[in-house]
Each structure stands twice: as structure tokens, then as C-alpha cells.
Amino acid sequence: MEYKRLTLKKGTEKRLKQGHAWVYSNEVDTKLSPIKSFDAGEQVVICASNGKELGTAVVSPTSLIFARLISRTPTQFLDQSLIVHRLKIALSIRQQVFQADCYRLVFGDSDGLPGLVVDRFGDTLVVQISQVGMELMKQDVIDALDKVCRPETIIVKNNGKMREAEGLESYVEFAKGECEEIRLVENGVDFVIPALTGQKTGWFYDHRMNRARMKDYVKGKRVLDLFSYVGGWGIQAAKFGAESVTCVDSSALALEYVTKNASLNGVEDKVDSIAGDVFEICRQLKEQDARFDVVIADPPAFIPRRKDQKAGEQAYQRLNHQAMRLLSKDGILVSASCSMHLGQDALVEVLRKTGRALEKNVQILEQGGQGADHPILPAIPETHYLKAIFARVLPAQ
């Protein structure tokens, strides 16, 4: 099969040679490679301005990221065989690090499969595709997963926001088997989540290691879990010995699963929940003079795009301000961010400013990131997105 050549402007090939895996639209030599000459999802050979072949990629003509690298071997293209090979490589490190078959099996570009995310929940796999090239390979992806993992159920949850930018439709379907709920184990704690209606893939494995570290801070403490979803932090806090846990989320369905998961782990007498807007609930709790020894603030991404930077930083500032006001003396704040556009230093700065505004001293005790099932590519800063800071908030001295 003959593949088209995507020629880069002179000098831009340096980024690929340095390990970068994306080609932006303004790096394409549009005289030799007119943008409109490529079809969405087409696989191409990337060439330097001098004609040297640098590798293969899949293109998204309507996206700022025009092409995503598949291989640095100019003759290697994405097919079911390559997908199987890369799934096996991804699986090997997950099985080495995690005892239970509960982890993110595929993390997009980081595992050499751009636009593909797969979460494993034992015998159930949840697949999300966000890139047009991978959507065209969907059946090959399903067949490869079936071959490598032999799951009972495969759910395709193609309803993420990133699909819209690629011109892809939104849908959710069973590709193999059926189920109403999914079981998983994290840090020795059991959970059940809705199969089709949960957020994103249904679970957030990325904070696994941070939730494990929480164990040292919650025993015998009163814990407030903001943006709790189904209780990933809160239920584990209760299981780790917290005196009481209050979960706050805007989703009534999520809080139903908080109750289910509390019962599943025998901690229903420790856990309660409040449904509503988190910022408003925090205000009401402050008015009631409520106090907690540990407050966990793990919100959704407040900065989904660069243009949201200012408003997003203000939202993080506001959230951490409200969280600190609810802490008891010498309380612990777990402040998290999944916004790739908010760096670790920026989150530290949010805590510094908040502490000064409240005339508190903030001691950063630990800083954490994503687990080994969310590997980071140094050449793609966007793959390093998760932050968690464990801080003690003290009276000013």
C-alpha cells in the first residue's frame, strides 16, 4: 500500500529528533503537503524538509495537533498486529506493579497508542477513543484487547469532550458481553461503579498512589471529601480508620454509589454524604461552624483549555480557600489538580496565597503525582498532568 508523505518545514524536524511525538499544523510544509490533501485518520510517512523519512503518523486535519507519531520506523504502520504488540508491552509493566487486574491498561501516546485509553476492571475493559485515526481502527482495537486480555465484557464509552474537536460522534456501547455494574479493588478496598453512566471510564486510577498515602493522615480523624464522585478518597479514608467521612458531590447517582461502597466495605456507620454544588456546600458548612481534621479537594479540571487559565486558577484559589476555612487546628489539606495547564509550582503558589490570605502557615508535607499505569513521556508535557499536595495548615506564628 502506498502512503502519502507529510513534509515538515525546514528546522521543525528537530522536535521529532529530540523525542517529541506530535506535529502541529504550523509545522507542516503546506506547499509540498497541502492540509486539504489528507483525510481524517489517514496514516502517513513523516519527512524532513530534505526528504529524509522520520517515521509514521496518523493525521487529524482539523486539529492543531495535525499528526501524532505511530512509529519512528518509516515502514511501521498501525494495524492489529502492532496494537497487540503494544498492548502486551503496556500490560507487562501493569502486571509487574499492581497485584490486582485493576489499572489503566492503555494511556494514549504514553503507550504508543495515540487517542486510546483503556481501563481494566478485572474481567471488564472500558475503552475510550478520542482521535479519529483510532476510531477507524476501533474493531482492530477490540479484537486486539480480546486477544491479549480475554475479558468477559468490553464497554466502549466514546462520549468524551475531546471527540467533538475531532468531529466524532458521541456514543456508548457494549462491544462484548453486558453488565450493569463494575467491580474493582484499589489499595485493598472494594468498589462498585455504574457500567455505563459513570464519569469518563467510571473510575480515576490516576490518584491510586496518593490515596494510598492518605492512610497515614486519616486514622481517627473527621474527613471531608469534596468532589467525592463514588467515594474513591472518602471510602478509603473510612476503611483506613477515619472517625467519620462526609462526601460532597453534585451528582445524586455518584452519592448513591458512595452509600453502596460504604456498605460493601462495612463502613456505612462512618460515612454520610451531601448532594449539591461543592462551593455552596462549603459556604453552608462554614456558616454552621463545621470543622474537619482532613479536607480532600480533588476537583475536575478547572483549566480544560489554555484560554481558561485565568478563570481556572481563580477557581482553584477559591476552592482551596474554602477548604482551608473548614479545617480544624493543625488540619491536613489534600489539594489535587488534574489540569495539565496548572503546573505543580502553580498549585503550590495557590496554597501559599491562600494561606497568606487566611493568615495561616502552610507546611507542604508530601507531593504526589500519577501512578505507573499513567506513564509520562518527557517530550509530551501534557502526559504529566496530575498533582496532589498533602499540606498541614497551622495558625500564623
Side-chain angles (χ1 to χ4, degrees), residues 90-135:
L91 181 62
S92 65
I93 190 62
R94 275 73 172 179
Q95 290 181 327
Q96 179 179 333
V97 174
F98 305 113
Q99 292 183 343
D101 288 333
C102 296
Y103 39 70
R104 174 147 292 182
L105 173 59
V106 177
F107 185 44
D109 294 272
S110 293
D111 287 303
L113 293 167
L116 178 65
V117 163
V118 181
D119 278 356
R120 186 175 194 177
F121 304 93
D123 290 328
T124 297
L125 299 180
V126 179
V127 178
Q128 277 200 327
I129 295 172
S130 60
Q131 199 267 342
V132 63
M134 198 61 71
E135 179 76 9

Side-chain angles (χ1 to χ4, degrees), residues 214-281:
M214 172 183 62
K215 188 173 185 177
D216 294 335
Y217 298 99
V218 298
K219 190 172 183 179
K221 305 297 185 181
R222 297 163 295 169
V223 177
L224 177 64
D225 181 8
L226 302 175
F227 298 99
S228 69
Y229 184 43
V230 298
W233 289 90
I235 300 302
Q236 291 190 52
K239 193 70 173 177
F240 294 160
E243 176 187 300
S244 65
V245 176
T246 299
C247 293
V248 181
D249 201 275
S250 62
S251 169
L253 176 63
L255 295 181
E256 286 180 21
Y257 276 87
V258 167
T259 301
K260 284 188 177 185
N261 289 320
S263 297
L264 186 63
N265 288 279
V267 293
E268 60 269 32
D269 58 326
K270 295 183 177 182
V271 178
D272 65 357
S273 63
I274 305 173
D277 176 79
V278 169
F279 291 99
E280 177 60 21
I281 298 300

Side-chain angles (χ1 to χ4, degrees), residues 24 59 76 111 126 159 178 215 284 313 330-331:
Y24 293 95
V59 299
Q76 188 173 57
D111 287 303
V126 179
N159 55 356
E178 287 190 11
K215 188 173 185 177
Q284 293 174 7
E313 289 184 5
D330 299 351

Side-chain angles (χ1 to χ4, degrees), residues 6 26 100 178 252 338:
L6 175 65
N26 61 3
E178 287 190 11
C338 61

